[in-house]
Amino acid sequence: MFTGIITDVGTIAELEQQGDLRARIKTSYDTATIDMGASIASDGVCLTVVALGDDWYDVQISAETVSKTNLGDWSVGKRVNLERALKVGDELGGHIVSGHVDGVAEVVELHDEGDSTRVTLRAPKDLARFIAPKGSVALNGTSLTVNDVEGCDFGINFIPHTKEVTTWGDVKLGDRINLEIDTLARYVARLHEAG
């Protein structure tokens, strides 16, 4: 489990197709404190550490994960949002995030509002019903509050701090963004369907 509070921005150092996609991610985390098999959310996708070095770790990414996320768009040099898994006693500053991406949203509009940047994203139709104004979503692993919703489009505001400590300062039109809907929204909808 994660909180959606990004604690590092890593860089893709290597990519290799070996049956599964294998990625090496450079990080400022103290890799001596990372266990083999640990889960690290990388752009919001819970990935398992399979090798470690002084300032990097490797993950294997299945074809299923590549097909459901934007990780197939990764290239060497790309910056990615990172978050290590929660430990008992950690502050829960965002919202509960599983690292299981539900789909990919597309950036369809962006403009500055004061020092903040307003981004409008388009969710897949089957996921849009789970997104509510003032509700939570995880986008590329970042816990965010939804400002407004109109059909499949929803708006998010990014303050300067968020743009500085995540990859959101790099966002551009057409970007494909990993979307994880709020777990509570998923269960409420399921209970409603069950009657």
Side-chain angles (χ1 to χ4, degrees), residues 146-177:
V146 176
N147 289 347
D148 54 56
V149 177
E150 187 174 323
C152 292
D153 292 356
F154 64 100
I156 305 284
N157 253 23
F158 291 94
I159 63 172
H161 174 78
T162 303
K163 293 187 292 184
E164 289 170 17
V165 300
T166 70
T167 61
W168 285 104
D170 305 335
V171 69
K172 55 190 180 311
L173 282 175
D175 281 355
R176 293 169 14 97
I177 306 297

Side-chain angles (χ1 to χ4, degrees), residues 183-194:
T183 301
L184 292 176
R186 182 187 340 255
Y187 284 112
V188 167
R190 184 70 175 140
L191 287 170
H192 184 264
E193 289 169 1

Side-chain angles (χ1 to χ4, degrees), residues 24 43 63 69 74 84 88 90 96 101 107 113 122 128 131-132 134 139 169-170 184 191:
R24 176 160 294 171
D43 267 357
T69 68
W74 278 5
R84 293 183 66 177
V88 174
D90 283 353
I96 296 295
V101 170
V107 175
E113 289 183 354
R122 183 159 296 140
I131 301 171
K134 306 309 175 203
L139 296 172
D170 305 335
L184 292 176
L191 287 170

Side-chain angles (χ1 to χ4, degrees), residues 2-73:
F2 305 92
T3 65
I5 302 299
I6 304 305
T7 54
D8 188 23
V9 175
T11 305
I12 303 301
E14 296 177 20
L15 289 168
E16 186 178 347
Q17 194 67 50
Q18 308 177 336
D20 286 333
L21 179 62
R22 188 172 175 122
R24 176 160 294 171
I25 301 173
K26 289 187 70 78
T27 181
S28 64
Y29 290 145
D30 177 359
T31 57
T33 66
I34 299 174
D35 293 330
M36 289 294 292
S39 294
I40 299 178
S42 305
D43 267 357
V45 182
C46 179
L47 298 174
T48 302
V49 173
V50 297
L52 289 161
D54 289 339
D55 63 350
W56 57 267
Y57 65 93
D58 283 359
V59 293
Q60 278 184 286
I61 307 163
S62 71
E64 171 74 7
T65 299
V66 169
S67 75
K68 302 288 189 220
T69 68
N70 69 7
L71 273 57
D73 301 342

Side-chain angles (χ1 to χ4, degrees), residues 68-135:
K68 302 288 189 220
T69 68
N70 69 7
L71 273 57
D73 301 342
W74 278 5
S75 59
V76 171
K78 178 173 177 42
R79 294 170 3 109
V80 294
N81 292 323
L82 302 178
E83 181 186 359
R84 293 183 66 177
L86 275 171
K87 294 180 182 147
V88 174
D90 283 353
E91 181 178 321
L92 184 59
H95 72 283
I96 296 295
V97 176
S98 68
H100 303 158
V101 170
D102 295 295
V104 177
E106 180 185 353
V107 175
V108 295
E109 185 180 336
L110 59 129
H111 62 274
D112 291 332
E113 289 183 354
D115 293 331
S116 297
T117 301
R118 173 69 159 219
V119 178
T120 302
L121 299 105
R122 183 159 296 140
K125 187 175 182 177
D126 61 325
L127 297 178
R129 68 188 182 107
F130 296 107
I131 301 171
K134 306 309 175 203

